[in-house]
Amino acid sequence: MKKTSLKKSASKKIVTRGAATRPGSKSVAGLVVQPMKKIRAGMIGFAGRGWGHFKNLLMLEGAEVTAVCEMKADALEKATKLAVEKGRPKPALYGPDRNDYLRMLERDDIDIVVIATDWNTHAPMAVQAMRAGKHVFLEVPAAVTTDQCWELVESAEKTGLNCMMLENVCYGREELMVLNMVRQGLLGTLLHGEAAYIHDLRSQMNDGGNTIGTWRTLHYAERNGNLYPTHGLGPIAQYMNINRGDRFERMVSMSSPAEGRKLYAAKNFPADHKWNKIKKWRCGDMNSSLIRTALGRTVLVQWDETSPRPYTRLNLIQGTKGCWAGYPDRLVVEGRTPSTHEWVQGDALKPWYDEFDHPLWKRMGDEAVKAGGHGGMDFLMMWRLVYCLRNGEPLDQDVYDAAAWSVIRPLSEESIRKGNAPVEIPDFTRGRWKKTPPLGIVR
């Protein structure tokens, strides 16, 4: 097997960025690569979100998983068992050391790498994978610092490889339909959006060992800002053509007091438990950030994984002719709905779904729902990226989206540290957003 030389140290931190792409690099906006007859995937991180991606890849024609790297031995056994049950070849297994993924990246039978590890390792692993010549698909958020966002962009530009964040919410039925509505001009000129990830996840604190509940909970103790912005923000950014005609320009962020995690720990764990030993929880229970775009539009982004409140992503988009809002789904369109003072919702929305359901959902929706995974969005996302790679088409998200959506996290922290001061959002496209065409409606 041919081996690629890899440095095992973390990629060098880059502090300053110029206005132009670095010498020897070029933009990867709208990147199209040579069609691949078969998509050979290597997976890093399998016990959590990686399991769903693995199952979906096993269902897709023209895709196979050749290698899996995971620290938990039982998860590797689970991968082998499922592959055999599905009549697929056994993947090569790597682990349990955290850096065993570097050995996996030396393989020459891997085209893409799917990364589903803890937040802090997403970007460093992605950079190493691109250096090894692999296209990268990484879980959300793509990065946790501004420097990491730049490293992803510069690595993709230097290697000419795809680096797509797996923002599955962009493939939900509602989000795809609203994208179709917006593209057809139903809501007029867009003015304002509202995005959120409000999800009571206090129960994750009960997880023990090296699990998502352990490493994720530590972020609430150490950081203060919107730690998980992309689920609600990704679809809004696509509606607004962010990085494709507009861009996020500046933002301001505020957090509420941090009370919920401390109260939950006191109520549910012994006094000497590790969560009760944390003297100060830094992350406010509710974070609200306000973004202004280059065209003057506004986006409210909220995040709360601690309070007793029903799940919502808001998914509100306001235009000069009307407004769509989620949770519950509702719509008003001047001249087409009975009044601009009352929502059309519930069963009355069926004709709107009939008219504006996205072509991708019409084609693959039934199969996606059957496959499962957040109402089918996980399967549709994986199907779509495999389809694009096999047919030489550009992906629906690129590295500039991954950076622009993920950088809201560190910049929200910066704004709060500075007393809720406005902070500038980097232009990761270096001005190319003005000429990059919008994401179209796939027919």
Side-chain angles (χ1 to χ4, degrees):
M1 179 180 296
K2 181 181 178 181
K3 298 201 173 185
T4 304
S5 175
L6 289 171
K7 294 181 180 179
K8 293 194 176 184
S9 61
S11 52
K12 185 178 180 181
K13 182 178 178 181
I14 301 171
V15 178
T16 59
R17 266 81 188 182
T21 304
R22 294 190 166 214
S25 303
K26 62 180 181 180
S27 172
V28 289
L31 177 66
V32 174
V33 298
Q34 189 72 20
M36 303 177 188
K37 184 177 181 180
K38 182 177 289 186
I39 311 301
R40 301 171 300 175
M43 303 193 66
I44 308 173
F46 183 76
R49 288 286 292 147
W51 173 244
H53 298 321
F54 181 72
K55 290 192 294 183
N56 286 331
L57 282 168
L58 292 183
M59 287 188 281
L60 293 174
E61 179 183 354
E64 66 178 38
V65 179
T66 56
V68 176
C69 182
E70 168 57 45
M71 296 168 63
K72 299 182 179 66
D74 58 340
L76 292 175
E77 294 174 5
K78 188 178 178 182
T80 300
K81 181 180 179 181
L82 182 62
V84 172
E85 289 176 354
K86 297 296 184 181
R88 296 298 196 104
K90 294 180 181 179
L93 305 180
Y94 292 83
D97 187 86
R98 178 178 289 273
N99 287 324
D100 281 339
Y101 80 96
L102 292 166
R103 294 192 296 111
M104 188 190 81
L105 293 179
E106 294 175 351
R107 300 180 65 95
D108 59 4
D109 60 351
I110 293 176
D111 304 306
I112 73 170
V113 172
V114 179
I115 299 171
T117 54
D118 63 278
W119 295 343
N120 289 339
T121 58
H122 289 175
M125 288 180 172
V127 170
Q128 293 285 18
M130 284 186 279
R131 287 178 176 176
K134 322 299 185 186
H135 299 280
V136 173
F137 299 87
L138 68 168
E139 263 299 334
V140 301
V144 296
T145 70
T146 304
D147 277 341
Q148 283 186 351
C149 289
W150 274 114
E151 284 191 289
L152 290 176
V153 169
E154 291 170 351
S155 296
E157 291 179 339
K158 183 176 181 179
T159 60
L161 294 167
N162 285 297
C163 178
M164 172 179 158
M165 184 171 65
L166 294 170
E167 184 41 78
N168 58 337
V169 176
C170 292
Y171 295 88
R173 183 185 182 185
E174 173 193 341
E175 288 78 9
L176 286 171
M177 182 187 71
V178 177
L179 179 64
N180 196 18
M181 286 179 167
V182 167
R183 291 294 183 269
Q184 294 194 40
L186 181 71
L187 303 182
T189 301
L190 300 186
L191 306 169
H192 173 74
E194 296 182 9
Y197 187 72
I198 294 174
H199 189 184
D200 185 357
L201 293 177
R202 290 173 294 174
S203 62
Q204 287 184 341
M205 296 173 70
N206 296 295
D207 294 348
N210 185 29
T211 62
I212 186 173
T214 297
W215 61 256
R216 190 161 175 160
T217 299
L218 290 173
H219 284 266
Y220 305 109
E222 298 167 359
R223 323 297 301 184
N224 186 15
N226 184 331
L227 305 188
Y228 202 65
T230 72
H231 279 331
L233 185 59
I236 298 295
Q238 289 192 334
Y239 306 156
M240 287 187 166
N241 295 330
I242 298 302
N243 293 335
R244 296 166 172 83
D246 198 1
R247 77 170 186 93
F248 295 147
E249 190 172 69
R250 63 178 59 89
M251 66 174 289
V252 64
S253 186
M254 301 181 184
S255 284
S256 74
E259 298 289 344
R261 297 279 164 166
K262 179 180 178 180
L263 293 172
Y264 188 88
K267 179 180 179 181
N268 292 281
F269 302 105
D272 61 350
H273 191 275
K274 61 182 179 181
W275 299 144
N276 282 314
K277 290 181 179 179
I278 295 175
K279 301 302 182 183
K280 181 178 178 61
W281 294 85
R282 291 178 173 81
C283 197
D285 295 352
M286 166 66 85
N287 176 272
S288 297
S289 301
L290 189 63
I291 301 171
R292 185 184 186 278
T293 76
L295 299 185
R297 298 181 291 190
T298 52
V299 183
L300 171 69
V301 190
Q302 292 189 312
W303 175 75
D304 182 347
E305 294 179 359
T306 296
S307 303
R309 177 176 169 180
Y311 182 95
T312 181
R313 295 193 300 269
L314 293 183
N315 195 34
L316 183 148
I317 189 71
Q318 176 70 59
T320 55
K321 294 181 180 179
C323 181
W324 173 276
Y327 302 89
D329 292 355
R330 51 206 191 275
L331 173 72
V332 61
V333 180
E334 193 167 45
R336 288 197 59 176
T337 53
S339 168
T340 56
H341 299 283
E342 295 182 3
W343 294 104
V344 172
Q345 53 189 324
D347 292 340
L349 283 174
K350 185 180 183 305
W352 297 91
Y353 271 93
D354 291 342
E355 182 178 353
F356 291 102
D357 244 343
H358 194 285
L360 274 179
W361 193 267
K362 288 181 179 179
R363 176 179 177 179
M364 296 297 300
D366 290 343
E367 187 172 346
V369 171
K370 183 179 179 181
H374 296 93
M377 62 175 66
D378 292 354
F379 176 84
L380 185 57
M381 174 180 65
M382 195 61 67
W383 177 89
R384 174 66 180 159
L385 73 85
V386 168
Y387 177 91
C388 289
L389 292 175
R390 294 189 71 199
N391 290 276
E393 296 187 7
L395 299 171
D396 302 323
Q397 302 171 37
D398 59 27
V399 72
Y400 306 112
D401 299 320
W405 305 353
S406 297
V407 81
I408 300 307
R409 170 184 170 142
L411 293 185
S412 69
E413 297 177 45
E414 180 181 343
S415 174
I416 290 169
R417 285 196 304 269
K418 294 179 176 179
N420 315 116
V423 293
E424 298 298 311
I425 301 175
D427 176 9
F428 295 103
T429 74
R430 300 178 178 88
R432 294 186 184 89
W433 61 269
K434 299 175 183 178
K435 296 182 179 179
T436 302
L439 178 66
I441 299 297
V442 179
R443 298 296 175 187

PDB file of all heavy atoms in Angstrom, residues 38-66:
ATOM      1  N   LYS A  38     -16.564   5.376  -7.684  1.00  0.00           N
ATOM      2  CA  LYS A  38     -16.907   4.858  -6.365  1.00  0.00           C
ATOM      3  C   LYS A  38     -16.334   5.792  -5.308  1.00  0.00           C
ATOM      4  O   LYS A  38     -15.208   6.263  -5.438  1.00  0.00           O
ATOM      5  CB  LYS A  38     -16.350   3.452  -6.174  1.00  0.00           C
ATOM      6  CG  LYS A  38     -16.688   2.805  -4.835  1.00  0.00           C
ATOM      7  CD  LYS A  38     -16.171   1.382  -4.747  1.00  0.00           C
ATOM      8  CE  LYS A  38     -16.983   0.467  -5.665  1.00  0.00           C
ATOM      9  NZ  LYS A  38     -16.583  -0.954  -5.484  1.00  0.00           N
ATOM     10  N   ILE A  39     -17.118   6.049  -4.260  1.00  0.00           N
ATOM     11  CA  ILE A  39     -16.689   6.899  -3.155  1.00  0.00           C
ATOM     12  C   ILE A  39     -16.188   5.991  -2.044  1.00  0.00           C
ATOM     13  O   ILE A  39     -16.958   5.277  -1.398  1.00  0.00           O
ATOM     14  CB  ILE A  39     -17.843   7.784  -2.641  1.00  0.00           C
ATOM     15  CG1 ILE A  39     -18.551   8.503  -3.800  1.00  0.00           C
ATOM     16  CG2 ILE A  39     -17.325   8.772  -1.599  1.00  0.00           C
ATOM     17  CD1 ILE A  39     -17.667   9.379  -4.610  1.00  0.00           C
ATOM     18  N   ARG A  40     -14.895   6.014  -1.814  1.00  0.00           N
ATOM     19  CA  ARG A  40     -14.286   5.177  -0.774  1.00  0.00           C
ATOM     20  C   ARG A  40     -14.031   6.049   0.452  1.00  0.00           C
ATOM     21  O   ARG A  40     -13.254   7.003   0.394  1.00  0.00           O
ATOM     22  CB  ARG A  40     -12.996   4.547  -1.288  1.00  0.00           C
ATOM     23  CG  ARG A  40     -13.204   3.683  -2.541  1.00  0.00           C
ATOM     24  CD  ARG A  40     -11.887   3.260  -3.145  1.00  0.00           C
ATOM     25  NE  ARG A  40     -11.072   4.423  -3.538  1.00  0.00           N
ATOM     26  CZ  ARG A  40      -9.826   4.329  -4.001  1.00  0.00           C
ATOM     27  NH1 ARG A  40      -9.251   3.138  -4.134  1.00  0.00           N
ATOM     28  NH2 ARG A  40      -9.155   5.417  -4.345  1.00  0.00           N
ATOM     29  N   ALA A  41     -14.720   5.730   1.548  1.00  0.00           N
ATOM     30  CA  ALA A  41     -14.705   6.592   2.732  1.00  0.00           C
ATOM     31  C   ALA A  41     -13.911   5.996   3.869  1.00  0.00           C
ATOM     32  O   ALA A  41     -13.971   4.787   4.132  1.00  0.00           O
ATOM     33  CB  ALA A  41     -16.134   6.866   3.194  1.00  0.00           C
ATOM     34  N   GLY A  42     -13.182   6.851   4.563  1.00  0.00           N
ATOM     35  CA  GLY A  42     -12.591   6.540   5.850  1.00  0.00           C
ATOM     36  C   GLY A  42     -13.296   7.360   6.907  1.00  0.00           C
ATOM     37  O   GLY A  42     -13.598   8.531   6.674  1.00  0.00           O
ATOM     38  N   MET A  43     -13.573   6.759   8.048  1.00  0.00           N
ATOM     39  CA  MET A  43     -14.337   7.452   9.084  1.00  0.00           C
ATOM     40  C   MET A  43     -13.513   7.595  10.351  1.00  0.00           C
ATOM     41  O   MET A  43     -12.879   6.637  10.806  1.00  0.00           O
ATOM     42  CB  MET A  43     -15.629   6.686   9.389  1.00  0.00           C
ATOM     43  CG  MET A  43     -16.510   6.475   8.160  1.00  0.00           C
ATOM     44  SD  MET A  43     -18.161   5.908   8.576  1.00  0.00           S
ATOM     45  CE  MET A  43     -18.789   7.337   9.442  1.00  0.00           C
ATOM     46  N   ILE A  44     -13.524   8.807  10.915  1.00  0.00           N
ATOM     47  CA  ILE A  44     -12.847   9.068  12.191  1.00  0.00           C
ATOM     48  C   ILE A  44     -13.922   9.443  13.206  1.00  0.00           C
ATOM     49  O   ILE A  44     -14.621  10.442  13.045  1.00  0.00           O
ATOM     50  CB  ILE A  44     -11.829  10.216  12.069  1.00  0.00           C
ATOM     51  CG1 ILE A  44     -10.868   9.980  10.905  1.00  0.00           C
ATOM     52  CG2 ILE A  44     -11.064  10.374  13.370  1.00  0.00           C
ATOM     53  CD1 ILE A  44      -9.938  11.162  10.638  1.00  0.00           C
ATOM     54  N   GLY A  45     -14.064   8.628  14.231  1.00  0.00           N
ATOM     55  CA  GLY A  45     -15.114   8.851  15.219  1.00  0.00           C
ATOM     56  C   GLY A  45     -16.362   8.117  14.794  1.00  0.00           C
ATOM     57  O   GLY A  45     -16.959   8.427  13.763  1.00  0.00           O
ATOM     58  N   PHE A  46     -16.740   7.138  15.588  1.00  0.00           N
ATOM     59  CA  PHE A  46     -17.800   6.250  15.129  1.00  0.00           C
ATOM     60  C   PHE A  46     -18.888   6.041  16.165  1.00  0.00           C
ATOM     61  O   PHE A  46     -20.023   5.734  15.831  1.00  0.00           O
ATOM     62  CB  PHE A  46     -17.170   4.905  14.747  1.00  0.00           C
ATOM     63  CG  PHE A  46     -18.144   3.910  14.194  1.00  0.00           C
ATOM     64  CD1 PHE A  46     -18.610   4.025  12.906  1.00  0.00           C
ATOM     65  CD2 PHE A  46     -18.602   2.864  14.974  1.00  0.00           C
ATOM     66  CE1 PHE A  46     -19.517   3.121  12.396  1.00  0.00           C
ATOM     67  CE2 PHE A  46     -19.511   1.953  14.481  1.00  0.00           C
ATOM     68  CZ  PHE A  46     -19.967   2.079  13.182  1.00  0.00           C
ATOM     69  N   ALA A  47     -18.568   6.209  17.434  1.00  0.00           N
ATOM     70  CA  ALA A  47     -19.502   5.833  18.488  1.00  0.00           C
ATOM     71  C   ALA A  47     -20.732   6.733  18.546  1.00  0.00           C
ATOM     72  O   ALA A  47     -21.799   6.307  18.972  1.00  0.00           O
ATOM     73  CB  ALA A  47     -18.789   5.848  19.837  1.00  0.00           C
ATOM     74  N   GLY A  48     -20.622   8.000  18.112  1.00  0.00           N
ATOM     75  CA  GLY A  48     -21.745   8.925  18.171  1.00  0.00           C
ATOM     76  C   GLY A  48     -22.361   9.160  16.801  1.00  0.00           C
ATOM     77  O   GLY A  48     -22.963   8.268  16.199  1.00  0.00           O
ATOM     78  N   ARG A  49     -22.206  10.370  16.286  1.00  0.00           N
ATOM     79  CA  ARG A  49     -22.792  10.733  14.995  1.00  0.00           C
ATOM     80  C   ARG A  49     -22.231   9.886  13.850  1.00  0.00           C
ATOM     81  O   ARG A  49     -22.901   9.651  12.849  1.00  0.00           O
ATOM     82  CB  ARG A  49     -22.515  12.214  14.701  1.00  0.00           C
ATOM     83  CG  ARG A  49     -23.321  13.180  15.543  1.00  0.00           C
ATOM     84  CD  ARG A  49     -24.765  13.256  15.105  1.00  0.00           C
ATOM     85  NE  ARG A  49     -24.888  13.868  13.791  1.00  0.00           N
ATOM     86  CZ  ARG A  49     -25.813  13.543  12.890  1.00  0.00           C
ATOM     87  NH1 ARG A  49     -26.665  12.572  13.137  1.00  0.00           N
ATOM     88  NH2 ARG A  49     -25.873  14.161  11.730  1.00  0.00           N
ATOM     89  N   GLY A  50     -21.005   9.392  14.009  1.00  0.00           N
ATOM     90  CA  GLY A  50     -20.410   8.587  12.958  1.00  0.00           C
ATOM     91  C   GLY A  50     -21.180   7.334  12.643  1.00  0.00           C
ATOM     92  O   GLY A  50     -21.196   6.861  11.497  1.00  0.00           O
ATOM     93  N   TRP A  51     -21.859   6.776  13.646  1.00  0.00           N
ATOM     94  CA  TRP A  51     -22.646   5.554  13.435  1.00  0.00           C
ATOM     95  C   TRP A  51     -23.744   5.780  12.398  1.00  0.00           C
ATOM     96  O   TRP A  51     -23.951   4.963  11.497  1.00  0.00           O
ATOM     97  CB  TRP A  51     -23.237   5.100  14.768  1.00  0.00           C
ATOM     98  CG  TRP A  51     -24.215   3.956  14.684  1.00  0.00           C
ATOM     99  CD1 TRP A  51     -25.538   3.987  15.001  1.00  0.00           C
ATOM    100  CD2 TRP A  51     -23.933   2.608  14.279  1.00  0.00           C
ATOM    101  NE1 TRP A  51     -26.110   2.756  14.811  1.00  0.00           N
ATOM    102  CE2 TRP A  51     -25.140   1.881  14.369  1.00  0.00           C
ATOM    103  CE3 TRP A  51     -22.788   1.954  13.833  1.00  0.00           C
ATOM    104  CZ2 TRP A  51     -25.234   0.534  14.045  1.00  0.00           C
ATOM    105  CZ3 TRP A  51     -22.884   0.606  13.501  1.00  0.00           C
ATOM    106  CH2 TRP A  51     -24.079  -0.092  13.605  1.00  0.00           C
ATOM    107  N   GLY A  52     -24.441   6.900  12.493  1.00  0.00           N
ATOM    108  CA  GLY A  52     -25.493   7.205  11.523  1.00  0.00           C
ATOM    109  C   GLY A  52     -24.941   7.403  10.127  1.00  0.00           C
ATOM    110  O   GLY A  52     -25.527   6.933   9.141  1.00  0.00           O
ATOM    111  N   HIS A  53     -23.812   8.107  10.018  1.00  0.00           N
ATOM    112  CA  HIS A  53     -23.200   8.305   8.707  1.00  0.00           C
ATOM    113  C   HIS A  53     -22.754   6.973   8.112  1.00  0.00           C
ATOM    114  O   HIS A  53     -22.881   6.739   6.903  1.00  0.00           O
ATOM    115  CB  HIS A  53     -21.999   9.247   8.827  1.00  0.00           C
ATOM    116  CG  HIS A  53     -22.349  10.617   9.308  1.00  0.00           C
ATOM    117  ND1 HIS A  53     -23.490  11.279   8.915  1.00  0.00           N
ATOM    118  CD2 HIS A  53     -21.697  11.464  10.162  1.00  0.00           C
ATOM    119  CE1 HIS A  53     -23.541  12.465   9.495  1.00  0.00           C
ATOM    120  NE2 HIS A  53     -22.463  12.596  10.255  1.00  0.00           N
ATOM    121  N   PHE A  54     -22.233   6.092   8.954  1.00  0.00           N
ATOM    122  CA  PHE A  54     -21.789   4.770   8.502  1.00  0.00           C
ATOM    123  C   PHE A  54     -22.962   3.981   7.929  1.00  0.00           C
ATOM    124  O   PHE A  54     -22.879   3.406   6.832  1.00  0.00           O
ATOM    125  CB  PHE A  54     -21.158   4.033   9.687  1.00  0.00           C
ATOM    126  CG  PHE A  54     -20.627   2.673   9.358  1.00  0.00           C
ATOM    127  CD1 PHE A  54     -19.476   2.512   8.603  1.00  0.00           C
ATOM    128  CD2 PHE A  54     -21.269   1.531   9.831  1.00  0.00           C
ATOM    129  CE1 PHE A  54     -18.966   1.255   8.319  1.00  0.00           C
ATOM    130  CE2 PHE A  54     -20.778   0.273   9.556  1.00  0.00           C
ATOM    131  CZ  PHE A  54     -19.618   0.129   8.793  1.00  0.00           C
ATOM    132  N   LYS A  55     -24.078   3.952   8.651  1.00  0.00           N
ATOM    133  CA  LYS A  55     -25.260   3.214   8.177  1.00  0.00           C
ATOM    134  C   LYS A  55     -25.757   3.773   6.848  1.00  0.00           C
ATOM    135  O   LYS A  55     -26.141   3.017   5.942  1.00  0.00           O
ATOM    136  CB  LYS A  55     -26.376   3.270   9.224  1.00  0.00           C
ATOM    137  CG  LYS A  55     -26.085   2.471  10.478  1.00  0.00           C
ATOM    138  CD  LYS A  55     -27.331   2.311  11.337  1.00  0.00           C
ATOM    139  CE  LYS A  55     -27.799   3.634  11.886  1.00  0.00           C
ATOM    140  NZ  LYS A  55     -28.975   3.472  12.789  1.00  0.00           N
ATOM    141  N   ASN A  56     -25.772   5.092   6.724  1.00  0.00           N
ATOM    142  CA  ASN A  56     -26.250   5.701   5.481  1.00  0.00           C
ATOM    143  C   ASN A  56     -25.332   5.385   4.311  1.00  0.00           C
ATOM    144  O   ASN A  56     -25.796   5.104   3.195  1.00  0.00           O
ATOM    145  CB  ASN A  56     -26.396   7.215   5.658  1.00  0.00           C
ATOM    146  CG  ASN A  56     -27.600   7.590   6.500  1.00  0.00           C
ATOM    147  OD1 ASN A  56     -28.601   6.876   6.522  1.00  0.00           O
ATOM    148  ND2 ASN A  56     -27.506   8.693   7.214  1.00  0.00           N
ATOM    149  N   LEU A  57     -24.028   5.422   4.517  1.00  0.00           N
ATOM    150  CA  LEU A  57     -23.091   5.106   3.444  1.00  0.00           C
ATOM    151  C   LEU A  57     -23.248   3.661   2.987  1.00  0.00           C
ATOM    152  O   LEU A  57     -23.124   3.361   1.788  1.00  0.00           O
ATOM    153  CB  LEU A  57     -21.655   5.365   3.899  1.00  0.00           C
ATOM    154  CG  LEU A  57     -21.217   6.837   3.913  1.00  0.00           C
ATOM    155  CD1 LEU A  57     -19.901   7.003   4.655  1.00  0.00           C
ATOM    156  CD2 LEU A  57     -21.102   7.384   2.494  1.00  0.00           C
ATOM    157  N   LEU A  58     -23.540   2.761   3.916  1.00  0.00           N
ATOM    158  CA  LEU A  58     -23.735   1.363   3.547  1.00  0.00           C
ATOM    159  C   LEU A  58     -24.967   1.169   2.670  1.00  0.00           C
ATOM    160  O   LEU A  58     -25.052   0.189   1.923  1.00  0.00           O
ATOM    161  CB  LEU A  58     -23.859   0.487   4.799  1.00  0.00           C
ATOM    162  CG  LEU A  58     -22.608   0.329   5.669  1.00  0.00           C
ATOM    163  CD1 LEU A  58     -22.898  -0.628   6.819  1.00  0.00           C
ATOM    164  CD2 LEU A  58     -21.417  -0.165   4.865  1.00  0.00           C
ATOM    165  N   MET A  59     -25.916   2.093   2.731  1.00  0.00           N
ATOM    166  CA  MET A  59     -27.141   1.985   1.940  1.00  0.00           C
ATOM    167  C   MET A  59     -27.004   2.584   0.545  1.00  0.00           C
ATOM    168  O   MET A  59     -27.879   2.394  -0.297  1.00  0.00           O
ATOM    169  CB  MET A  59     -28.303   2.673   2.669  1.00  0.00           C
ATOM    170  CG  MET A  59     -28.815   1.915   3.876  1.00  0.00           C
ATOM    171  SD  MET A  59     -30.331   2.659   4.553  1.00  0.00           S
ATOM    172  CE  MET A  59     -29.641   4.028   5.475  1.00  0.00           C
ATOM    173  N   LEU A  60     -25.926   3.326   0.293  1.00  0.00           N
ATOM    174  CA  LEU A  60     -25.830   4.096  -0.943  1.00  0.00           C
ATOM    175  C   LEU A  60     -25.015   3.376  -2.012  1.00  0.00           C
ATOM    176  O   LEU A  60     -23.892   2.919  -1.764  1.00  0.00           O
ATOM    177  CB  LEU A  60     -25.201   5.463  -0.652  1.00  0.00           C
ATOM    178  CG  LEU A  60     -26.040   6.395   0.216  1.00  0.00           C
ATOM    179  CD1 LEU A  60     -25.262   7.654   0.553  1.00  0.00           C
ATOM    180  CD2 LEU A  60     -27.343   6.752  -0.481  1.00  0.00           C
ATOM    181  N   GLU A  61     -25.603   3.315  -3.204  1.00  0.00           N
ATOM    182  CA  GLU A  61     -24.892   2.748  -4.347  1.00  0.00           C
ATOM    183  C   GLU A  61     -23.691   3.633  -4.688  1.00  0.00           C
ATOM    184  O   GLU A  61     -23.781   4.858  -4.686  1.00  0.00           O
ATOM    185  CB  GLU A  61     -25.828   2.670  -5.549  1.00  0.00           C
ATOM    186  CG  GLU A  61     -25.183   2.110  -6.810  1.00  0.00           C
ATOM    187  CD  GLU A  61     -26.120   2.128  -7.995  1.00  0.00           C
ATOM    188  OE1 GLU A  61     -27.307   2.477  -7.815  1.00  0.00           O
ATOM    189  OE2 GLU A  61     -25.671   1.805  -9.111  1.00  0.00           O
ATOM    190  N   GLY A  62     -22.560   2.990  -4.969  1.00  0.00           N
ATOM    191  CA  GLY A  62     -21.369   3.736  -5.350  1.00  0.00           C
ATOM    192  C   GLY A  62     -20.568   4.253  -4.193  1.00  0.00           C
ATOM    193  O   GLY A  62     -19.638   5.042  -4.383  1.00  0.00           O
ATOM    194  N   ALA A  63     -20.900   3.824  -2.966  1.00  0.00           N
ATOM    195  CA  ALA A  63     -20.157   4.256  -1.779  1.00  0.00           C
ATOM    196  C   ALA A  63     -19.781   3.042  -0.951  1.00  0.00           C
ATOM    197  O   ALA A  63     -20.538   2.074  -0.860  1.00  0.00           O
ATOM    198  CB  ALA A  63     -20.991   5.223  -0.944  1.00  0.00           C
ATOM    199  N   GLU A  64     -18.610   3.082  -0.355  1.00  0.00           N
ATOM    200  CA  GLU A  64     -18.195   2.039   0.575  1.00  0.00           C
ATOM    201  C   GLU A  64     -17.311   2.645   1.644  1.00  0.00           C
ATOM    202  O   GLU A  64     -16.686   3.693   1.436  1.00  0.00           O
ATOM    203  CB  GLU A  64     -17.460   0.910  -0.143  1.00  0.00           C
ATOM    204  CG  GLU A  64     -16.130   1.294  -0.756  1.00  0.00           C
ATOM    205  CD  GLU A  64     -15.439   0.119  -1.415  1.00  0.00           C
ATOM    206  OE1 GLU A  64     -16.131  -0.722  -2.043  1.00  0.00           O
ATOM    207  OE2 GLU A  64     -14.202   0.044  -1.305  1.00  0.00           O
ATOM    208  N   VAL A  65     -17.292   2.014   2.800  1.00  0.00           N
ATOM    209  CA  VAL A  65     -16.433   2.445   3.899  1.00  0.00           C
ATOM    210  C   VAL A  65     -15.256   1.483   3.966  1.00  0.00           C
ATOM    211  O   VAL A  65     -15.430   0.296   4.244  1.00  0.00           O
ATOM    212  CB  VAL A  65     -17.193   2.466   5.239  1.00  0.00           C
ATOM    213  CG1 VAL A  65     -16.252   2.903   6.369  1.00  0.00           C
ATOM    214  CG2 VAL A  65     -18.393   3.399   5.161  1.00  0.00           C
ATOM    215  N   THR A  66     -14.072   1.979   3.681  1.00  0.00           N
ATOM    216  CA  THR A  66     -12.897   1.117   3.638  1.00  0.00           C
ATOM    217  C   THR A  66     -12.155   1.059   4.968  1.00  0.00           C
ATOM    218  O   THR A  66     -11.423   0.104   5.221  1.00  0.00           O
ATOM    219  CB  THR A  66     -11.923   1.596   2.544  1.00  0.00           C
ATOM    220  OG1 THR A  66     -11.589   2.963   2.786  1.00  0.00           O
ATOM    221  CG2 THR A  66     -12.561   1.473   1.174  1.00  0.00           C
TER     222      THR A  66
END
